[in-house]
Amino acid sequence: MQVAYYQDKLIALHTCERSEWQQLYMASKRDEITCPHCHTPVRMELGITAPPLFSHTGQTEECENVAQLLARKQDEQQRAAEQESTTIQLPKRRSISDSGSSSLSRWKEPEPLKAVPPFSVRSNDKDTMASGYRHTLLEQGILLDDQQWTAVTTTEGPLLVLAGAGSGKTRVLTARAAYMLVELGHSPKEMILVTFTAKAAKEMKERMKQYPGLTAKHLQPLVVGTFHSIFYKMLLHADAERWNQTNLLKADWQKQAMVKEAGREINLEEKEFAFDQALTQISWWKNHLLSPEQVTPRDQWEERTAYLYRRYEQMRSQRKWFDFDDMLLGTYELLHEQPGLLARYQERFSYLSIDEFQDINKVQMEIISLLTTATQHICAVGDDDQSIYSFRGSDPSYILTFQERFPHAKRVVLDENYRSHHHIIAAANNVIAANRKRFSKRLRAQSVDEHLPYLFFPYDEEEEATMIVTDIRKRIERGEKPGDFAVFFRTHHSARALIERFIESSLPIQLEVDGESFYRRKTIRKLLAYLQLALDPEHGEALRELVGALFLKQETVQEIKAISITADCTLIEALTKLKGLPPFQLKKLASLPDKFSMLAAKQPLEAITYIESEMGLDDYLKKQGNEGNKMERGSDDVRDLKVVAKQFQSLASFLAHVEHMTAKYEALRQHPPASPAIQLMTVHRAKGLEFPHVYLIGAVEGGLPHDYALDALREGSDQPLEEERRLMYVAMTRAKQSLAISVPMMRRGKQAFRSRFVRDMQRLATTQPLAVSERRS
Ligand SMILES: Nc1ncnc2c1ncn2[C@@H]1O[C@H](COP(=O)(O)OP(=O)(O)OP(=O)(O)O)[C@@H](O)[C@H]1O
């Protein structure tokens, strides 16, 4: 039914504002909306594939008839009102399912993408023609197509295996090692297999146990591991004392403590400077073989970070500590300084295979070059289209220029995709084809499916989250397993609404993210501190946050507290009694008590706007803007917070929600569910994984591609945009059976525009109405 009672008024879904749907949905969950006929509380269904409606258990035909009658009456009344209005143009009547409209208010049908050209089965001789070890593998159910087999058997000299997404590179790498050991009789001691993660190394060794002819005698001495683990063994061998585990800076907090210590020397406020980002930058410099002396800062933020780098390195070496980057740098230096040792390792590393080659960095490439100069038996496996770690120092140019570095290299392209069906692969191909710096190739799927990938159009972040939760819940109720679903997002904080909606549902979820909850972010903490102090002028914790936003030093907190005790006044009033500050600041502080009283009476959304414009937050954000943080802007956080605030009527209920969500988030991180759950993760985390059903949120300009890439493009660099396109491609190619991409109409309170990647996808596809089976899903 389309109409129901809410707060003693008749409301109709087809005439109310689209922005109100989410509030109605939340109200229906609290049983505040009732059936217009029998007054039973109704639930609002707000899913992906059908327009929203109200329904309740035990709903009768009579309930539906009354609802329809009332809906018609409301329409007539509205039409009459429209005719009466001659001077002012009242909004026209809206139809809830008017799909052709561009209006933000209307419901829009999801848009399935049907691939052009259509799927055609390829003739492939992989099953019938197999002989020798390939046949033995086939008998074990380990199929290898012709290109895969070529990669397996090309063992001498440099080889570049360009392995498209889902084309079986893990299978190739493991089969190749097995082939060399079993069929060619190589010793495991002359082979090394490098993986990107320790997990991948473990999985490979596990898989190899099933290979025919491979025994513990082969597998035990075979080195399979990450660059770090392999190089660390070399370092230990060379100087066990210097590289003792106890000197390793394992945890981030250890490194943070050092840069913070250095930061104090140049008066960097602990709560104001992004020390975590500075550490990422330092690591980037180290992996690019840039010593502190070689760094040329481009702005004030880099200048400060370069200082931290210099001091960090000094402290680290004085204390004889080392970090993970030093393991690579240490190996590089060791091999340079000791030619005898290098010669021995060149022999030991006779056959070197490297997985995820698109993500190697400069120092790794230099070491590889040193180790393989003599034999040249290097097998690099990777996909230039999946290089997504440039912020950590990865450089896709190494895979792109492999054949220049190794002129005799052979190249095998694996372009058969065994993971996803045709329409998913075709859509992903259409996205990645627009990148300029890549090897030209097109993945081909092995199968086709009636479930077309599709775009859907929620109103905003909140509705997007509700729709996904609704859709997944329904699919699980119909028998799908929670572990078969994954929802991807570009950045952790863009998933705030999604995480909250899942937390509120009873669905099992696993959160694969780094970092703190949205409400613990620096700018958000500051904003919340204003609100907390408005309700409780004695809130000590909030005061600590507030002083930063008011450009006061942390030490003033004690002074303010002391004044509040001696002058018997609140912390806010104590702020006005501070001494020794410049007149403009004293004036600003003097106005605060009145402003905080005004703030307390406001609704959350209004309050945030007031804090921004009247209480100094704007100035603070502007200053933060100078800190050189390209990826995360404080002003974006404020806009994100406004989207949450809009849903609450009072500061108290808004702050209670924040507290509840923060606690739930922490609990979830500390106690992940034991059984397979719905996976919520960043696209970066999804790399290398596959799921039957994938949802990707926020496919709008500024979301994916991220704002920073669009800024870079305006400044003349398209590299970040190309990396964003690769992220989109990685996300899409994780899906085995179904793929849903969300294109919200609003983002951060403003109209959003569909991602250029989505437009690329649409240009080369036909759209068609949803199949009946999908409508029901
Ligand atoms: N020749 C083949 N025949 C049938 N299935 C295959 C074949 N090769 C690989 N597969 C299957 O295809 C899927 C994808 O393989 P795999 O995970 O090795 O891909 P990948 O290249 O590592 O993917 P990505 O780079 O996207 O992470 C796996 O389920 C694998 O078992």
Side-chain angles (χ1 to χ4, degrees), residues 143-145 148 164-171 207 386 418-419 688-690 734:
L143 272 77
L144 289 162
D145 66 33
Q148 289 175 328
S167 65
K169 67 183 165 54
T170 315
R171 184 171 290 196
R207 266 205 212 186
Q386 293 188 66
Y418 293 95
R419 175 181 295 143
L689 305 178
E690 55 183 33
R734 304 304 97 198

Side-chain angles (χ1 to χ4, degrees), residues 357 360-369 398 405-406:
F357 197 78
I360 62 161
N361 60 36
K362 187 173 171 69
V363 59
Q364 288 164 343
M365 188 65 233
E366 294 303 325
I367 300 171
I368 294 165
S369 298
Y398 293 119
R405 204 175 267 263
F406 298 95

Side-chain angles (χ1 to χ4, degrees), residues 94-112:
R94 288 182 297 272
S95 156
I96 203 163
S97 56
D98 189 351
S99 55
S101 165
S102 63
S103 163
L104 294 182
S105 312
R106 299 178 191 185
W107 165 262
K108 201 165 167 0
E109 283 281 349
E111 212 173 278

